[in-house]
Amino acid sequence: MSESNNKRIAKNTLLLYVRMLFMMVIGLYTSRVILDKLGEVDFGIYNVVGGFVTMFTIISGAMTTATQRFLSFEIGKGEKGNVKSIFSTMIYIHLFLALVILVVGEVVGVWFLNTYMNFPSDRYGAANWVFQLSLLVFMLDVINVPYNGALIAYEKMSAFAYFSIFDAIFKLAICYVITLTPFDKLIVYAVLMAIIQIVLLAMYFLYCRGKFKECRFTGKFNREYGKNVGSFVGWNLIGSLAGVAKEQGVNVVLNLFFGPAVNAARGVAYQVLSKLNGFVGNFQMAMNPQIIKNYASGEIESMYNLVFRGSKLSYLLLLTLSLPVVIEAPLILSVWLKEVPEYTVIFLQIAIFTSLLNALSNPLIVSMHASGKVRDYQIVVGCLSLLTLPIVYVAFKMGAEPYMAMIIAFVLELACHFARLYMLVRSIDFPMWRFVKDVTLRVFTITIVAMVLPILAYRSIDITILRFISVCLLSMVSTIGFGYYLGFNNEDRQTIKVKVTSIINKKILKKKIDEKYK
């Protein structure tokens, strides 16, 4: 991979991290206030009902990935690419999908919500408000998918940073309004969240139309592109629907067996997890277009190297951030929230380990998308993922505790990781065993070894603040230290040394020049 591409990935990652830090600080505060003001039951209702439409956003994410894949592929082809035709075809496809989801949501979603969900009798009206507003937001989000995909494909990550700052500020304002409103707080919260999303979608739409001349709707539908894109999106939707059934299905089963309080616990755990995942997601968002463009231009070995390095760095980055959270979860949650819902701690701890597997696998998924050969992959991985739901249901029928849902999800995600590797071998002759040896086994070893010192500190220090600081420092030192020596081979370590030395030398030289001309 060229030096300019490395710099572009580094620049985009830095911009996205600034965005994430800002969002994380405000997001953690707003989550705390919203849980306190809505109460455990209403917060659980919003989590499970809004989750019906949040599950559609997983589909939206898959469609954004598909859009990014085809646009990045055409951009990677240079002058031979036909970005404008692909974009207009994407618009037609997403208008059709938005209509389908509206019909399914109004018929199946409303029926299931009012027939089977377990809520207090006086809260079904508010739950229906949440559902309808969330469905409206999602329809607009689907229509806007081609514009979001274009933003990623053209690697204009600064726009994400600016728009996310607006998002965080708006959500901070919602906390203030919820505190003062005399009306039903859950309904007001749902209305305001819908307004924010509509404004943000309009901002993305206007930015992309103004910035990229190729990304303007021409009204023409290219049948050849439509067939290819439709096939890709269709098979991706099957995989995404399996993911939706797993995530939201588990949420519904938890509600049926244990009520909205457990949904609140899971919702809180996933809010913390989303902040941690955001850091890794930013790095991968900056890297993904390069994987696709390398494949499109025939630079297969460069793509392999980027996938190996990206998987390893994504995992280690998330491990560095999340290891203190795993160990000190009770303290962190008790400081953050006035009242911690039961099961939140163990939900969060298991969810973090599952998320580490996702971080390891995401570059593999992008590689599969780059090849365009997704049918068999989605069938195999989708079916494996979908097994979570019936297994969880049977486990609860047999009297299992709520956290068993998270353990089952972790085990099946591990199976999905190796299934992805196998399917990549079949599709693009991916070096599976090299990846297992150089990436999977290395990061698993690092995880086990890096946990030893922080856990010893946690068990041996009685003073809370001293223990917390020790756990954080030892987690960071252990992960970075063992990651450097166990995670990278001699060639990688030499490259890291050269780059670090170069940065230090530049700073020293700049300092000398500044002193000379003072």
Side-chain angles (χ1 to χ4, degrees):
M1 188 168 56
S2 67
E3 187 67 24
S4 62
N5 287 338
N6 279 326
K7 288 182 178 179
R8 188 183 302 114
I9 292 174
K11 177 185 175 183
N12 287 334
T13 304
L14 180 61
L15 284 168
L16 292 170
Y17 278 149
V18 172
R19 157 192 179 261
M20 190 62 217
L21 282 169
F22 186 84
M23 289 183 66
M24 184 180 69
V25 172
I26 293 183
L28 290 173
Y29 172 75
T30 55
S31 298
R32 178 181 184 272
V33 173
I34 294 300
L35 175 60
D36 180 50
K37 298 304 177 184
L38 292 183
E40 191 174 274
V41 171
D42 273 5
F43 186 82
I45 291 173
Y46 187 85
N47 179 255
V48 72
V49 175
F52 273 114
V53 182
T54 300
M55 72 181 183
F56 287 136
T57 63
I58 297 173
I59 300 172
S60 170
M63 292 187 294
T64 301
T65 300
T67 304
Q68 177 213 328
R69 185 266 171 192
F70 279 95
L71 290 176
S72 296
F73 199 91
E74 293 299 316
I75 294 168
K77 288 160 69 173
E79 295 181 358
K80 297 179 181 179
N82 192 350
V83 177
K84 187 175 291 186
S85 185
I86 277 282
F87 184 81
S88 292
T89 302
M90 288 286 189
I91 293 288
Y92 275 113
I93 291 172
H94 287 86
L95 284 170
F96 174 74
L97 287 171
L99 181 62
V100 170
I101 290 167
L102 173 64
V103 173
V104 173
E106 291 294 351
V107 175
V108 179
V110 172
W111 165 76
F112 189 87
L113 174 67
N114 291 284
T115 306
Y116 290 103
M117 296 307 295
N118 178 15
F119 302 133
S121 58
D122 61 335
R123 300 309 292 154
Y124 277 91
N128 276 277
W129 270 93
V130 172
F131 183 82
Q132 292 295 333
L133 288 164
S134 300
L135 190 61
L136 169 65
V137 170
F138 176 67
M139 283 185 61
L140 295 174
D141 192 28
V142 168
I143 295 169
N144 206 45
V145 159
Y147 296 93
N148 290 340
L151 206 64
I152 298 170
Y154 280 102
E155 302 181 63
K156 299 294 183 182
M157 304 307 173
S158 58
F160 278 105
Y162 298 137
F163 295 156
S164 297
I165 288 172
F166 284 118
D167 183 27
I169 292 172
F170 290 154
K171 286 178 180 175
L172 191 62
I174 285 180
C175 291
Y176 181 71
V177 175
I178 290 295
T179 303
L180 299 179
T181 183
F183 304 107
D184 189 303
K185 294 183 186 299
L186 179 57
I187 295 176
V188 171
Y189 180 62
V191 170
L192 293 175
M193 288 293 286
I195 291 172
I196 287 177
Q197 292 306 313
I198 291 169
V199 171
L200 285 170
L201 292 175
M203 291 168 66
Y204 279 109
F205 172 82
L206 294 172
Y207 177 87
C208 290
R209 275 186 59 85
K211 194 73 174 179
F212 314 124
K213 62 181 181 179
E214 298 89 351
C215 297
R216 295 177 184 175
F217 184 53
T218 63
K220 296 179 181 179
F221 182 84
N222 186 305
R223 289 188 178 183
E224 183 181 351
Y225 282 142
K227 182 180 178 181
N228 293 334
V229 172
S231 174
F232 186 92
V233 170
W235 287 112
N236 262 358
L237 279 177
I238 290 176
S240 297
L241 285 170
V244 164
K246 180 188 77 170
E247 291 298 328
Q248 186 58 16
V250 168
N251 220 11
V252 170
V253 172
L254 282 168
N255 177 266
L256 295 176
F257 279 90
F258 304 103
V262 173
N263 292 126
R266 191 171 187 265
V268 170
Y270 273 81
Q271 286 200 15
V272 177
L273 186 64
S274 70
K275 306 307 175 187
L276 295 171
N277 281 337
F279 286 93
V280 179
N282 289 333
F283 170 68
Q284 291 178 340
M285 188 185 295
M287 175 185 64
N288 291 346
Q290 286 300 320
I291 293 176
I292 297 169
K293 290 172 184 176
N294 280 339
Y295 184 88
S297 60
E299 299 176 25
I300 304 301
E301 192 59 36
S302 294
M303 186 195 78
Y304 289 161
N305 291 335
L306 187 55
V307 170
F308 275 50
R309 193 172 296 132
S311 292
K312 196 180 298 181
L313 290 175
S314 296
Y315 185 99
L316 293 176
L317 174 61
L318 182 57
L319 181 63
T320 303
L321 295 169
S322 62
L323 188 53
V325 180
V326 170
I327 297 171
E328 287 285 6
L331 174 64
I332 292 170
L333 290 170
S334 64
V335 171
W336 175 39
L337 303 174
K338 290 184 178 180
E339 185 176 347
V340 181
E342 189 180 5
Y343 296 111
T344 304
V345 171
I346 192 166
F347 278 0
L348 176 59
Q349 290 170 329
I350 301 172
I352 284 175
F353 285 110
T354 306
S355 190
L356 283 165
L357 287 174
N358 288 330
L360 195 64
S361 290
N362 277 338
L364 302 176
I365 297 171
V366 176
S367 300
M368 184 63 74
H369 289 163
S371 73
K373 304 171 184 177
V374 296
R375 186 192 66 180
D376 293 345
Y377 163 80
Q378 293 292 4
I379 291 173
V380 171
V381 176
C383 288
L384 267 177
S385 181
L386 196 56
L387 284 175
T388 305
L389 187 55
I391 294 174
V392 167
Y393 184 84
V394 171
F396 288 163
K397 272 288 189 181
M398 296 173 64
E401 291 289 323
Y403 59 80
M404 277 304 299
M406 312 298 289
I407 294 175
I408 292 167
F410 172 81
V411 172
L412 286 170
E413 182 57 37
L414 184 61
C416 286
H417 173 71
F418 288 101
R420 291 184 185 105
L421 284 170
Y422 174 71
M423 297 308 296
L424 273 173
V425 173
R426 290 185 56 184
S427 299
I428 59 173
D429 198 26
F430 188 80
M432 171 180 172
W433 294 114
R434 195 174 105 202
F435 184 93
V436 171
K437 176 185 174 183
D438 292 347
V439 181
T440 305
L441 293 179
R442 282 178 185 264
V443 297
F444 286 179
T445 303
I446 292 166
T447 302
I448 295 170
V449 176
M451 291 178 69
V452 173
L453 289 178
I455 289 176
L456 286 175
Y458 180 81
R459 291 182 175 278
S460 59
I461 299 175
D462 295 327
I463 304 173
T464 304
I465 186 63
L466 178 61
R467 186 192 69 201
F468 179 76
I469 294 171
S470 300
V471 166
C472 290
L473 289 176
L474 287 172
S475 295
M476 183 176 66
V477 171
S478 295
T479 306
I480 294 174
F482 289 120
Y484 179 75
Y485 286 105
L486 299 179
F488 299 96
N489 57 33
N490 290 330
E491 183 180 346
D492 288 335
R493 286 197 291 271
Q494 188 61 35
T495 301
I496 293 171
K497 285 180 182 178
V498 169
K499 287 188 177 295
V500 171
T501 303
S502 174
I503 293 171
I504 293 173
N505 288 338
K506 284 181 181 179
K507 288 185 176 181
I508 293 173
L509 180 61
K510 184 178 182 301
K511 184 178 179 181
K512 288 182 178 179
I513 292 173
D514 290 342
E515 290 175 351
K516 181 177 180 180
Y517 290 99
K518 273 186 179 180

